[in-house]
Amino acid sequence: MGSSTLINADRLWTRLMALAEIGATPAGGVNRQALSDGEIAAWRRVIGWACEAGLTPSTDAAGNLFLALAGRDRAAPPLLLGSHLDSQPTGGKFDGAAGVMAALEAAVSLAEQGDRPARDVIIVAWMNEEGSRFAPGMMGSEAFTGERDMDAIRAARDADGISVGEALASLHQAFPDLPHRPLGFAAGAYLELHIEQGPLLEAAACTIGVVTGIQGKKTFQVVVEGAEGHAGTLAQQERRDALAAFARMATALHAEIGTVDADIKFTIGRVTVTPNAPSVVPSRVSFSIDLRHPDNAVLNAAGVRIAALCHENAAPCTVTVTPLVDAPSNAFDARLRASIAEAAREQGHPAMAILSAAGHDARHLAKVCPAAMIFIPCRDGASHVEHEWAEPNHVAAGASVLAQVLRELAFAPCIAA
Ligand SMILES: [Zn+2]
């Protein structure tokens, strides 16, 4: 199958650049926050392109955007493909947007060929993947898959005090004619194209990354409680110095957890000292831990040791270790991965298997249907920065591979999980 017949690469690139004008920053990046006026403007543009090609837009209670190409059997579980349209405050043109636009291009090209797929093909833009305006991210995909309750999602507030519930109302008011789907529906499969956000594809001169899975992640909030005292008068042996206890914990954690093996990623990224005054013995230290590993057994064991090491090094202070995120590693569907690798081979794009070090909405979809991801290279592995860049021919290659896998699934009489 010639890749040139599967998508219109020029149209895809032109539209991706046009989308990047919405929320464009002076330094060439994009600032398009979830549920903002910028995202509403992006929805209008994307809906316009989809409607031109005969796709039908709709939304749901979580503010996800769906663009459906009708298949012959409207009752068969549809194919879902997409990514997100929100960005980091100093984000780039490709993170998320490339996946939505590649998926739209694949579906629009399919519609133009006039062959009606066996089942519906639905392009999706998930609400608030980035989590920069409303934390934590991936709200749309977690609501869709039933992992997070809508009441909890609606209650989250941005820095100005605006809740997700209020912002969702503004979004839906901006599109009064858009039909609402029930939250969550059975999908036949999910596909997501994304820039790698790392340097491995570029280093290996590969155009296509066949993503094996997403590495697991745990986060913790740790609070060390001691007692405040005068730096000049309180005897050293009588002190309950929370910062000194933190220093022992950090040293022990880096020495043991940070050296578990070559794949471990251990980070203490934020430390808050109270009262944080030069002549006062610190009474309280609160710090964050971010732990990642592709092997769930290693991740879980390290998680248990983190709590133990904090407690072993706390005296004479006390410590509380609160787990926040607990997202195990997942493996993407073997059959879909094989289809992606085969499509890349047929189209002549060098490909390699790759583990995703960053989280994506596909992690959640993989729990409810066969799911897979396609990575394309980004220059110097840079992402979440304004100079984020993907080459036009790499975007075209990824979209073309996505389009081929989509066609195989769209015309299959059934999708074996
Ligand atoms: Zn992304």
Side-chain angles (χ1 to χ4, degrees):
M1 200 181 300
S3 60
S4 57
T5 62
L6 294 177
I7 59 154
N8 180 333
D10 290 338
R11 176 173 61 194
L12 169 57
W13 183 259
T14 303
R15 287 181 171 180
L16 189 54
M17 291 304 107
L19 189 62
E21 290 165 7
I22 303 171
T25 61
V30 170
N31 176 10
R32 202 164 48 227
Q33 295 302 305
L35 305 176
S36 64
D37 290 346
E39 193 169 56
I40 288 170
W43 271 39
R44 278 196 207 291
R45 200 164 283 192
V46 171
I47 288 171
W49 290 324
C51 289
E52 252 173 49
L55 277 63
T56 308
S58 61
T59 184
D60 65 10
N64 295 313
L65 173 64
F66 302 101
L67 308 159
L69 172 63
R72 290 192 300 275
D73 180 359
R74 303 302 310 270
L79 297 171
L80 260 184
L81 57 162
S83 192
H84 58 97
L85 290 171
D86 66 320
S87 79
Q88 291 288 324
T90 51
K93 299 180 175 78
F94 301 90
D95 177 358
V100 174
M101 294 312 297
L104 181 64
E105 178 56 41
V108 167
S109 291
L110 187 60
E112 283 172 348
Q113 312 255 314
D115 284 338
R116 207 164 171 205
R119 63 194 63 247
D120 285 8
V121 172
I122 301 182
I123 310 312
V124 58
W126 301 111
M127 189 272 281
N128 188 28
E129 192 276 344
E130 297 286 4
S132 57
R133 179 181 177 193
F134 301 105
M138 301 201 200
M139 285 179 171
S141 56
E142 289 200 338
F144 182 88
T145 55
E147 263 170 273
R148 229 191 296 175
D149 183 72
M150 267 316 291
D151 288 341
I153 287 174
R154 293 173 62 84
R157 289 183 187 273
D158 68 8
D160 297 326
I162 300 169
S163 71
V164 171
E166 289 158 358
L168 278 171
S170 302
L171 172 85
H172 287 139
Q173 274 159 22
F175 299 93
D177 301 329
L178 207 56
H180 282 234
R181 289 174 171 269
L183 185 59
F185 52 83
Y190 176 71
L191 296 169
E192 180 167 355
L193 174 142
H194 207 281
I195 55 168
E196 180 200 338
Q197 304 183 285
L200 302 179
L201 290 176
E202 191 177 61
C206 280
T207 311
I208 300 294
V210 184
V211 184
T212 55
I214 296 178
Q215 76 172 341
K217 171 180 174 178
K218 286 180 188 286
T219 68
F220 302 87
Q221 184 64 30
V222 185
V223 177
V224 187
E225 297 277 6
E228 216 168 285
H230 191 295
T233 59
L234 186 59
Q236 206 69 27
Q237 67 273 16
E238 285 172 20
R239 293 185 181 193
R240 293 171 55 218
D241 184 330
L243 188 59
F246 161 73
R248 291 191 298 274
M249 289 175 201
T251 302
L253 288 164
H254 276 286
E256 183 177 323
I257 308 298
T259 59
V260 163
D261 64 19
D263 291 328
I264 198 91
K265 302 280 191 303
F266 171 81
T267 307
I268 297 174
R270 185 177 57 203
V271 180
T272 311
V273 182
T274 308
N276 205 24
S279 298
V280 183
V281 176
S283 58
R284 188 176 195 268
V285 171
S286 129
F287 65 101
S288 65
I289 292 177
D290 181 308
L291 177 73
R292 305 184 196 215
H293 198 280
D295 183 330
N296 286 322
V298 176
L299 184 70
N300 289 335
V304 170
R305 281 298 293 156
I306 279 176
L309 285 168
C310 289
H311 284 104
E312 283 166 23
N313 288 281
C317 299
T318 59
V319 67
T320 319
V321 182
T322 308
L324 300 177
V325 171
D326 185 7
S329 297
N330 74 287
F332 285 125
D333 183 74
R335 185 169 156 269
L336 290 177
R337 279 155 58 187
S339 297
I340 293 165
E342 178 59 18
R345 198 192 60 75
E346 280 181 26
Q347 295 185 20
H349 304 303
M352 65 186 264
I354 185 169
L355 175 78
S356 177
H360 297 285
D361 293 304
R363 157 181 275 158
H364 302 295
L365 274 294
K367 293 169 195 164
V368 297
C369 67
M373 290 189 77
I374 298 167
F375 275 177
I376 57 171
C378 53
R379 187 191 288 160
D380 300 327
S383 179
H384 287 185
V385 292
E386 290 169 280
H387 61 272
E388 180 183 271
W389 183 255
E391 294 300 331
N393 60 323
H394 292 166
V395 174
S400 181
V401 167
L402 179 70
Q404 182 167 336
V405 177
L406 169 64
R407 274 165 208 243
E408 287 165 13
L409 295 170
F411 293 102
C414 66
I415 303 166

